[in-house]
Structures are given as C-alpha cells and as structure tokens.
Amino acid sequence: MKNRDRIIRYYKGTDNGELAARLIDLADSTVKGRPYAVSEFVSPGAVQIGETIQASAPGLVLKTFGGYQGAERVRLAFVKESYDGPVDFGIAACHVSWDARYRLLSHRDVLGSLMGLGIDRSRFGDIIMEETGAVILADAPLLPYLKQNFLKIAMVHVTVEDMALSDIAPKQEKVKEIKTTVASLRLDAVASSGFGISRTKAAEAIKGERVQVNWQPAKGPSQEVQEGDVISLRGKGRMELAQITGTSRKGRTGVLLRRYM
C-alpha cells in the first residue's frame, strides 16, 4: 500500500501505530488475492483507521460486525469489491449464568476473570450484562475453551452455554440530552458538565487515566474537545459532544451533550 508509512506515522501519534500496521497488512492480503480478511475485535475508534486504509486501497470494501446490532467492539473485514459471497467474521456467543444471590457481579468482574484466564482482549467483543448472567461475544474457536475453563467469576461458580447470535437483542440505549454552557471546550470542563461531577473530580479522573476521548486515552485536563467527540468515563458511561451551539453574553460556550445511559 503506497500510503502505508504515512498512515502508520499519523496513527502512531494517537498510540495506534501498531494497530494501523496490522490492519494495513490485512488489507494488503486482500489486495494480493484473498477474497477478504478479518481483524481481531477492536474498539470503535479503530473503525476510523479501517476507513482511512480503505480510502487508500481502491477495490476494497470495509465491513464491520460485532455479533449483533449495535455492538461496540467489532471486527473489521477488508473485502474485494468483486467478491459477492458471504463474509465469515468468526464470531460466536455464549451465555454465562450464576446464582441470583450474586446479582451484583459487574462487567469489570466478568472482564477481569476472562483476562485472568490469559485470554487477550482482542479475542472477545462486547460483554452484555444481565441481572444474573452475561452474554459474551468471542472468537468462535475460543468457545470450547471457555466452556471448559471459565468456571468462576470473583469466586462465584458460573455456567457457560452456547448461544445463537440471532438470540441477542439489538442494543437499546437511553439517551439523555444536556443543553448547557461551559467555560471552555477543555476536556475537564465538558466532562464535568456531562457527567454531573465537579471539575476537580473530572480532572482527577483524567489524570488517573479513567477518561478516553474517541476511545483513546485522554491527553490531559486541558485537552480541547470538538463537535462529534465521544468522551467516556470509567464507571459513568459515555457521552457525545453533539453540537456547539454558540457563545453566551458572558462568553461561555453553549453545547449540546448526548449522554448514553
């Protein structure tokens, strides 16, 4: 790919240089003859990298799939335009259940137990929490291993069963719109307004590496955000700076924030 070095250099600035290189290699394998090539599970921000690569590779189409409608973590497929067959994303699902007495098990508990088995995060996608269980999207060849070895979450015994992708309900998100003004478009100011916390606590969360902008680690409290940016705070969810609405008489910046509950 003629723009390989330039693309890698650009995304290296956002700590995504290695991911960009791997995705370019996938695209190249399709250009050189394969009908399609599929990536590991990636965060939503990686889709932009895929789109950049696709734009530099005439004859390729970019497709994404995470196992169900609305999935956050997805796999990317670079597909030849001339190929009209199915694309196997290699995704399967399993349902994990536990005793109702332990209904307070969290997403973090499930994720931590999976990582404790030595499974790389790139091998599984979304974890959909339920009251007494969870649905895990994963690399299809990984499922037999999970059924045999994923026995406990935080010392709680669990049962793992196969689940059809078609049985997963589309993602339903509640959206709360917040119209407000901020002193500036600094990340700590916008995060404070959107998540309903003090600016000091927002700055502490950013310094504590608990905040991401467009699924990339925040650079610092003074980082400027712009229209369309997605800001996530661990434990609080995420929001989008949907619109900059103008400047008030007192010089404050009006914003429309969409917080996903």
Side-chain angles (χ1 to χ4, degrees):
M1 184 175 295
K2 62 180 181 180
N3 293 325
R4 177 189 179 92
D5 291 342
R6 188 176 66 175
I7 293 172
I8 293 174
R9 188 165 54 249
Y10 175 81
Y11 284 107
K12 187 175 288 186
T14 61
D15 297 325
N16 274 321
E18 290 185 7
L19 175 58
R22 293 199 302 273
L23 293 179
I24 289 172
D25 288 341
L26 278 178
D28 277 342
S29 71
T30 306
V31 170
K32 294 175 181 177
R34 297 175 63 180
Y36 64 86
V38 179
S39 76
E40 71 265 36
F41 283 99
V42 294
S43 67
V47 176
Q48 182 185 32
I49 302 176
E51 291 172 344
T52 301
I53 294 169
Q54 186 273 327
S56 298
L60 291 190
V61 175
L62 177 68
K63 296 185 178 182
T64 66
F65 185 54
Y68 70 107
Q69 184 179 333
E72 187 166 295
R73 289 180 61 80
V74 298
R75 282 183 152 177
L76 311 184
F78 294 100
V79 186
K80 278 187 180 296
E81 281 185 339
S82 58
Y83 176 71
D84 59 1
V87 175
D88 180 7
F89 282 87
I91 300 174
C94 63
H95 186 267
V96 184
S97 56
W98 51 80
D99 192 302
R101 290 175 296 174
Y102 305 104
R103 61 184 179 276
L104 294 180
L105 286 177
S106 68
H107 183 283
R108 182 179 296 182
D109 293 325
V110 179
L111 177 60
S113 295
L114 286 169
M115 301 291 280
L117 290 175
I119 304 171
D120 192 271
R121 186 67 178 97
S122 66
R123 295 200 66 191
F124 54 94
D126 284 2
I127 299 171
I128 307 167
M129 297 302 297
E130 301 174 343
E131 188 170 344
T132 57
V135 176
I136 299 174
L137 283 301
D139 185 12
L142 185 63
L143 252 62
Y145 178 82
L146 289 178
K147 291 168 70 175
Q148 185 174 357
N149 296 280
F150 193 38
L151 306 176
K152 291 183 179 181
I153 298 175
M155 303 307 294
V156 176
H157 288 278
V158 301
T159 301
V160 180
E161 299 176 304
D162 291 328
M163 182 176 186
L165 296 181
S166 58
D167 290 339
I168 304 175
K171 190 172 187 178
Q172 300 289 336
E173 288 187 305
K174 294 181 180 178
V175 181
K176 178 182 179 182
E177 290 198 342
I178 303 168
K179 294 181 179 179
T180 186
T181 61
V182 292
S184 72
L185 291 175
R186 281 174 53 120
L187 177 58
D188 56 355
V190 177
S192 171
S193 293
F195 293 117
I197 58 178
S198 70
R199 190 162 174 176
T200 299
K201 287 188 176 180
E204 289 174 352
I206 295 165
K207 292 175 182 176
E209 299 182 348
R210 294 191 291 120
V211 178
Q212 293 185 330
V213 179
N214 298 327
W215 296 277
Q216 301 301 319
K219 297 176 182 177
S222 63
Q223 178 178 345
E224 291 281 321
V225 292
Q226 57 189 355
E227 204 167 89
D229 281 350
V230 176
I231 303 166
S232 57
L233 170 58
R234 193 183 308 157
K236 289 282 190 178
R238 73 183 193 281
M239 67 174 175
E240 177 190 2
L241 175 51
Q243 186 179 357
I244 298 172
T245 58
T247 305
S248 71
R249 293 179 180 178
K250 295 183 179 181
R252 293 176 63 85
T253 302
V255 293
L256 170 63
L257 306 173
R258 290 198 183 102
R259 183 173 174 186
Y260 298 90
M261 314 298 284

